[in-house]
Amino acid sequence: MDINAFSYVVVGSGLLGSVVAERIASQLDSKVLVIEKREHIGGNCYSETDPDTGIEFHRYGTHIFHTSNEKVWNYIHRFTSLNTYRHQVLSSYKNKIYQFPINLETINSFYNMNLRPFEVDEFMSAIRDRTIKEPANFEEQAISLIGKDLYEAFFKYYTIKQWQIDPRKLPAAIFNRLPFRKNYVENYFFDQWQGIPENGYTALFQNLLSNKNIAVLLNTDFFSIRDRLKKDACIIYSGPIDRFFDYKFGKLSWRTLQFEKEILNMEDYQGNAVINYPEQEIPYTRIHEPRHLHPEKNYTKEKTLILREYSLADNGTAPFYPIASRENMEIFQRYREEAARLENVFISGRLGDYKYYDMHQTIERALEIFETGILTQTRLNNGC
Ligand SMILES: Cc1cc2nc3c(=O)[nH]c(=O)nc-3n(C[C@H](O)[C@H](O)[C@H](O)COP(=O)(O)OP(=O)(O)OC[C@H]3O[C@@H](n4cnc5c(N)ncnc54)[C@H](O)[C@@H]3O)c2cc1C
């Protein structure tokens, strides 16, 4: 392949890169080169079939598609249909399973009561810590709203395990974003369109990248072939922003996840796709059982697949979650200013924007980059 012939080069075949490549290929009828350093397309949404059980699973963590954004839905559903899966999370505490986020079932089960919705406020005001008048951090905010027992059971050690940070160092406002329900509603998401791609995420990416104008180069690091690309090619880069600038303002830090796969000789291990393990003594944070993501599939009854999830500090090889500390955000801001000065280069996606995006937000961002960036520049310059 003559990589020097492409006027559009997309770095990364995740959702950001694949959507932008599809738009360029179909709307501008231009050839696009997609460079991917992993051995597969799809970025962190990648799904595969486990050879022993035939169960479809998500290598980098369970992904549930959900959106209420009509534009995003109108775009993406041309490349996939979703199954009927509705996400529900459970939390295991002292060998008992609770609904999570906290709802009336959680409270009644935790306190062995039978409260009704209109009785919850009075009960909560009896258990919350009313001595904390101005909560200064996540822990104080939690205790002032739901009391010490619920906080320690479901939030304290889960947060420590997930982020390796003392919850007293996190802002109080983060706790306010977490849902608390006084009814029995168990849905995790309330979006209009939800589910899992019926044929898996990888099939969705194959469809996005199927345009004849798109060439995909796997197992290739952009930086190892950068010098051989066309000098004035338009670059859409969805890798880590600090790497793009050779870490000149310092390294951004990330959390990563590790998954321990196990096959069990039974039909169903935990009865749900995801269960949280918030206790301090248990080293993993969650167990995933991907067979539950596809209730429509006739999987084997002889075996099931589970994945234990561990949260770790990233050593630079597998960045998953940005850490929005003040220090990181200052470094990121300097890179962003530098990026804004570049011509013919768009840096974005969860690694480029150093921001957690849900999939629908990544698609929205990709469409925006194409429409307001690439398309506009192409019209102005007759080339990116
Ligand atoms: C554990 C986890 C669970 C999630 N669950 C959900 C969920 O349930 N629902 C939801 O809506 N969203 C979920 N998300 C978010 C979702 O994964 C992201 O929105 C999406 O993956 C972002 O796509 P992206 O293209 O920006 O990044 P990525 O998917 O990371 O793609 C970037 C790609 O660039 C490649 N790359 C990087 N550097 C280079 C280089 N130098 N050369 C070549 N290639 C390079 C990488 O290999 C990667 O393939 C989850 C995220 C995580 C981490």
Side-chain angles (χ1 to χ4, degrees), residues 45-109:
C45 303
Y46 177 69
S47 67
E48 59 190 316
T49 304
D50 170 60
D52 287 336
T53 59
I55 294 170
E56 177 87 4
F57 73 102
H58 308 157
R59 190 185 286 187
Y60 306 97
T62 300
H63 276 66
I64 292 96
F65 186 84
H66 60 99
T67 188
S68 296
N69 182 324
E70 198 168 358
K71 182 175 175 180
V72 166
W73 176 245
N74 284 341
Y75 173 76
I76 204 69
H77 92 271
R78 294 188 285 126
F79 304 95
T80 186
S81 49
L82 298 180
N83 70 5
T84 57
Y85 176 76
R86 292 291 174 272
H87 198 45
Q88 176 195 10
V89 174
L90 300 171
S91 197
S92 169
Y93 179 68
K94 293 198 172 157
N95 255 333
K96 197 170 159 186
I97 296 292
Y98 295 91
Q99 292 287 331
F100 197 78
I102 293 178
N103 69 7
L104 189 48
E105 167 76 28
T106 323
I107 299 166
N108 280 336
S109 187

Side-chain angles (χ1 to χ4, degrees), residues 14-212:
L15 211 37
L16 193 286
S18 298
V19 169
V20 173
E22 187 284 327
R23 290 287 79 192
I24 295 169
S26 66
Q27 301 303 297
L28 302 181
D29 195 18
S30 294
K31 299 226 172 290
V32 195
L33 176 66
V34 177
I35 302 171
E36 171 55 61
K37 70 175 183 188
R38 286 173 173 160
E39 81 284 7
H40 61 75
I41 56 170
N44 271 19
C45 303
Y46 177 69
S47 67
E48 59 190 316
T49 304
D50 170 60
D52 287 336
T53 59
I55 294 170
E56 177 87 4
F57 73 102
H58 308 157
R59 190 185 286 187
Y60 306 97
T62 300
H63 276 66
I64 292 96
F65 186 84
H66 60 99
T67 188
S68 296
N69 182 324
E70 198 168 358
K71 182 175 175 180
V72 166
W73 176 245
N74 284 341
Y75 173 76
I76 204 69
H77 92 271
R78 294 188 285 126
F79 304 95
T80 186
S81 49
L82 298 180
N83 70 5
T84 57
Y85 176 76
R86 292 291 174 272
H87 198 45
Q88 176 195 10
V89 174
L90 300 171
S91 197
S92 169
Y93 179 68
K94 293 198 172 157
N95 255 333
K96 197 170 159 186
I97 296 292
Y98 295 91
Q99 292 287 331
F100 197 78
I102 293 178
N103 69 7
L104 189 48
E105 167 76 28
T106 323
I107 299 166
N108 280 336
S109 187
F110 193 81
Y111 290 103
N112 199 17
M113 290 189 316
N114 195 20
L115 290 175
R116 286 177 291 170
F118 57 88
E119 296 166 327
V120 173
D121 283 344
E122 196 185 331
F123 177 73
M124 294 311 290
S125 61
I127 61 167
R128 71 192 184 91
D129 186 339
R130 282 181 289 176
T131 62
I132 304 172
K133 300 288 179 221
E134 284 182 28
N137 55 55
F138 183 91
E139 178 163 304
E140 288 185 8
Q141 180 74 343
I143 294 173
S144 73
L145 292 172
I146 62 169
K148 194 164 174 269
D149 294 342
L150 283 171
Y151 165 68
E152 292 200 341
F154 297 110
F155 295 97
K156 181 171 180 171
Y157 301 106
Y158 190 83
T159 308
I160 294 172
K161 287 199 292 187
Q162 177 80 1
W163 295 100
Q164 238 164 41
I165 189 166
D166 183 337
R168 286 170 297 190
K169 293 199 173 130
L170 290 172
I174 295 184
F175 191 81
N176 296 342
R177 286 192 232 136
L178 304 173
F180 175 89
R181 299 175 187 154
K182 296 181 219 167
N183 54 30
Y184 290 107
V185 170
E186 294 169 356
N187 283 6
Y188 202 78
F189 301 115
F190 294 95
D191 287 299
Q192 195 169 350
W193 297 284
Q194 308 183 31
I196 309 290
E198 267 173 336
N199 297 321
Y201 283 97
T202 299
L204 158 66
F205 284 91
Q206 283 161 349
N207 292 339
L208 280 168
L209 297 170
S210 67
N211 191 297
K212 63 175 178 11

